Amino acid sequence: MAFRVMLVLGARPQFIKSAPVIHQFLKRRGVELQIVDSEQHYDYELSKIFFEELRLPRPALSLHVGSGSHASQTGKAMVRIESGILALKPDIVLVPGDTNTTLAAAISAAKLNVPIGHIEAGARSYDMSMPEEVNRTLTDHISNLLFAPTKNAERNLRAEGISRKRIFQTGDTMVDALKTALPLARKLKRSLLGQLDLDEGEYVLTTSHRPANVDDRHKLHAIVAGLMRISESMKVVFPMHPRIAHNLESYGLLRKLRRSRNLIALKPQGYVKMIALLDSARAMLTDSGGIQKEAFLLGTPCVTMRDTTEWPETLKNQANTLVDADPDRIVKLIFRANKVPSRRPLDSGSPFGTGKSSDRIVRAVLSTSYRSHASPELLRVT
Ligand code: UD1
């Protein structure tokens, strides 16, 4: 009988970071991969586009969880994932990242005594006001296998008393994803920059979606003021997450932004286009968790509109700088940021690993004692 691995996803960064793991599992004989999409993200640009672009198989289950308050979204996801586990009887449930879907799947599996593997375990901002910090901390403490992306993440888990036996320092699957996407992004770059009338290294790329920034009227005004000032002397490319697009519209700020000739407002981009834009940008201004790492790996200086980061490795040599939503500071840091194209951790080895994380995760899953009924055949790659 096949070894059944359930992988529960639901939001943009999870599709991207799980793609390499999915493709590794698909290469193994004797494994039945059950992809469950909670549909926490349901817009085409935040969800289905990645299934197409990253060639992900159709999910075995789509759970239509959608948006809602944290409790209702997590609760709905728990109930539906529980039914999914009962129906599909996985031997292990894998949960990547730190979304409400991650926590819901981990709790549902734990209560049904199904082993859990947490991908991206041990990331900590030590800011419990972040919903993601609550999700990842709780998930780590009920997981059986913890796949830590960095040494620092492993140290964080050990400091919380988690046994070394449960921790696998695998590297970050984002490096694997980036290594696949970069050659495609490089091919696309000239035509993409041409279409948007951009010159290599001559524009700032920006994204923002964190509730702490975009749901706070004052902070949103401050971010827009910063962007307007940057756009007085440089083009600004702004792929807008639906959350910020909605709030900019309701606070009357979208019209203001659109008046600036230098500000290019876009829909959320597919992954390869996003990497092409990031690779060629002079600097990145963001509050994303994942983009901080991608900017670091590509050697694009990053300014992060947050007080804390779960990726302290990116702060070294000011490759990434944290800033409040303060227009003066944002503008100053963006113009101070200097790109050094020869300094790209992706090429020379980085604290996030060398792109073999998904293989390590899959091997660890398949060789653990949980697959008591399985054969060594599982470890063979076809
Ligand atoms: C954060 C949360 C996560 C939440 C998600 C919501 C943290 C630590 N985690 O993740 O729990 O579910 O926000 O969105 O805050 N990208 C594109 N196209 C774009 C913009 C980004 O492909 O237009 C790619 C980036 O290259 C990167 C990933 O999406 O690979 C990052 O996704 P993002 O939505 O920014 O999520 P995080 O901040 O990483």
Side-chain angles (χ1 to χ4, degrees), residues 11-14 16-17 40-41 45-46 50 53 97-100 102 120 130 132-133 135-136 174 207 209-210 239-241 267-272 274-275 278 286-292 294 306 310-311:
R12 172 167 70 185
Q14 293 177 308
I16 295 171
K17 287 185 280 193
Q40 178 176 332
H41 277 173
E45 287 88 7
L46 291 194
F50 299 108
E53 192 182 14
D98 54 24
T99 64
N100 288 340
T102 311
E120 205 180 75
M130 284 177 72
E132 294 88 355
E133 184 76 357
N135 291 342
R136 56 195 167 217
M174 183 164 260
T207 70
H209 67 269
R210 300 197 48 71
M240 285 187 191
H241 189 284
K267 281 188 180 167
Q269 298 293 291
Y271 181 53
V272 174
M274 186 65 190
I275 295 305
L278 180 56
T286 192
D287 55 17
S288 163
I291 293 175
Q292 292 175 59
E294 289 164 339
R306 285 178 46 184
E310 45 287 306
W311 308 114

Side-chain angles (χ1 to χ4, degrees), residues 44 66 76-77 82 144 152 154-155 168 182 232 265 324 379:
Y44 174 79
K76 220 191 249 183
E82 182 184 61
N144 306 71
N152 185 53
E154 179 173 8
R155 269 196 298 272
F168 298 77
L182 196 56
E232 282 163 18
D324 299 332
L379 290 172

Side-chain angles (χ1 to χ4, degrees), residues 314-328:
T314 62
L315 300 175
K316 208 172 155 201
N317 300 327
Q318 295 184 324
N320 181 21
T321 317
L322 305 181
V323 68
D324 299 332
D326 166 356
D328 290 338

